[in-house]
Amino acid sequence: MLRVENIDVYYGMIHAIRGLSLEVNEGEIVTLIGANGAGKTSTLRAISGLNPIKNGEIFYENAKVDSLDAHKLVGKGVSQVPEGRRIFGDQTVEENLLLGAYLRKDKTEAKKTMEEVFKRFPRILERRKQMAGTLSGGEQQMLAIGRALMAKPKLLLLDEPSMGLAPIIVEEIFDIIKEIREQGTTILLVEQNANLALQLADRGYVLETGSIVLSGNANDLLNNEAVQKAYLG
Ligand code: ATP
């Protein structure tokens, strides 16, 4: 479904991503793990068209997409939940969700999707008229995921959904991610919490200073000595 081939990303002189390749098949949860600054966000932003790539190619559903604008990719079914959620704090929960459907022409259909999102996130439903900035961190993460779902994505790119949240909320969010996959959405999950991410995922990639150093079945990675030492404490 998604194939990233040998990409490089630079920020000025900084060579942040170095010859990175990865693949996500339809129906999978694939996780990209790595320490702070390894390049996880840069990779995700390259895929979603927010970071230009210097070399290499990105294919989605067998079409080359690395020169597409980010919104075109959303139209093709790829949505991103950005790091730090990026919700609009001075707009209501409902307004935030509708922003996620901005490309959808049929607004009645969008409203229907919103009801589906509310069904998945009852906590958000109770707060639909509330300013998003007044939500708790966990609720904001749910809203950010809900907003991405408003575009009815086939592939969901999640950037560190566990960031800054209490373990019990993280568990709740990860259960939701699992459900989203069960209902047919493919997921690429970027995480610093390698333990949880590998427990949830089918396959994983380990990123170090901009390159993939290890990849494979998530279970194998969980049991891998080098991964345990570096990422699982
Ligand atoms: P984190 O978990 O801290 O977000 P990450 O694995 O997502 O880390 P990136 O944010 O992709 O890592 O950063 C990879 C490298 O690129 C880092 O060395 C970072 O300092 C650098 N970098 C990221 N964004 C920029 C930018 N806009 N300008 C310059 N350098 C950047």
Side-chain angles (χ1 to χ4, degrees):
M1 184 176 217
L2 176 75
R3 205 165 78 242
V4 176
E5 280 183 7
N6 219 8
I7 61 165
D8 286 288
V9 174
Y10 286 84
Y11 299 105
M13 299 292 283
I14 298 171
H15 193 178
I17 300 298
R18 302 157 179 261
L20 180 144
S21 299
L22 63 78
E23 232 176 76
V24 182
N25 301 310
E26 196 169 348
E28 279 189 314
I29 298 182
V30 173
T31 188
L32 180 62
I33 57 174
N36 240 320
K40 304 181 298 296
T41 298
S42 300
T43 303
L44 220 54
R45 287 176 58 87
I47 294 169
S48 56
L50 295 166
N51 274 351
I53 60 172
K54 187 81 183 265
N55 303 302
E57 291 174 302
I58 302 175
F59 297 91
Y60 169 70
E61 291 187 325
N62 295 318
K64 194 164 144 54
V65 293
D66 48 70
S67 46
L68 285 185
D69 289 341
H71 72 271
K72 289 252 167 66
L73 207 57
V74 177
K76 288 179 180 293
V78 183
S79 287
Q80 184 174 352
V81 181
E83 184 174 25
R85 0 246 197 243
R86 305 278 173 85
I87 52 135
F88 298 94
D90 56 357
Q91 300 201 29
T92 66
V93 163
E94 223 172 60
E95 284 164 346
N96 268 274
L97 287 177
L98 286 173
L99 282 170
Y102 73 104
L103 284 175
R104 294 178 59 182
K105 302 227 162 53
D106 188 338
K107 296 302 164 198
T108 321
E109 279 297 308
K111 285 252 161 74
K112 229 161 95 189
T113 308
M114 186 155 74
E115 294 312 318
E116 287 166 24
V117 168
F118 283 140
K119 220 183 266 167
R120 190 184 300 283
F121 299 103
R123 283 223 242 165
I124 299 299
L125 169 64
E126 289 165 28
R127 294 165 174 79
R128 66 194 292 170
K129 302 286 180 207
Q130 196 169 316
M131 289 299 154
T134 65
L135 299 178
S136 73
E139 289 157 3
Q140 290 190 11
Q141 184 59 257
M142 292 175 194
L143 177 57
I145 296 174
R147 182 180 56 191
L149 293 177
M150 288 295 293
K152 289 235 160 205
K154 292 189 260 185
L155 174 63
L156 188 62
L157 309 173
L158 286 162
D159 197 348
E160 287 199 37
S162 77
M163 196 206 266
L165 302 179
I168 187 155
I169 308 291
V170 173
E171 232 170 85
E172 205 178 317
I173 302 270
F174 273 53
D175 282 344
I176 289 164
I177 296 171
K178 202 155 118 194
E179 275 171 35
I180 292 171
R181 186 268 288 274
E182 277 160 13
Q183 289 175 6
T185 306
T186 305
I187 290 169
L188 177 57
L189 169 68
V190 157
E191 259 301 335
Q192 257 193 74
N193 189 332
N195 193 13
L196 270 183
L198 289 172
Q199 284 182 44
L200 179 71
D202 304 301
R203 289 190 302 113
Y205 292 87
V206 181
L207 190 59
E208 266 174 29
T209 52
S211 306
I212 302 289
V213 292
L214 207 57
S215 66
N217 183 288
N219 244 331
D220 294 346
L221 290 176
L222 263 178
N223 294 314
N224 180 294
E225 219 171 295
V227 173
Q228 285 183 351
K229 227 165 153 186
Y231 302 103
L232 307 176

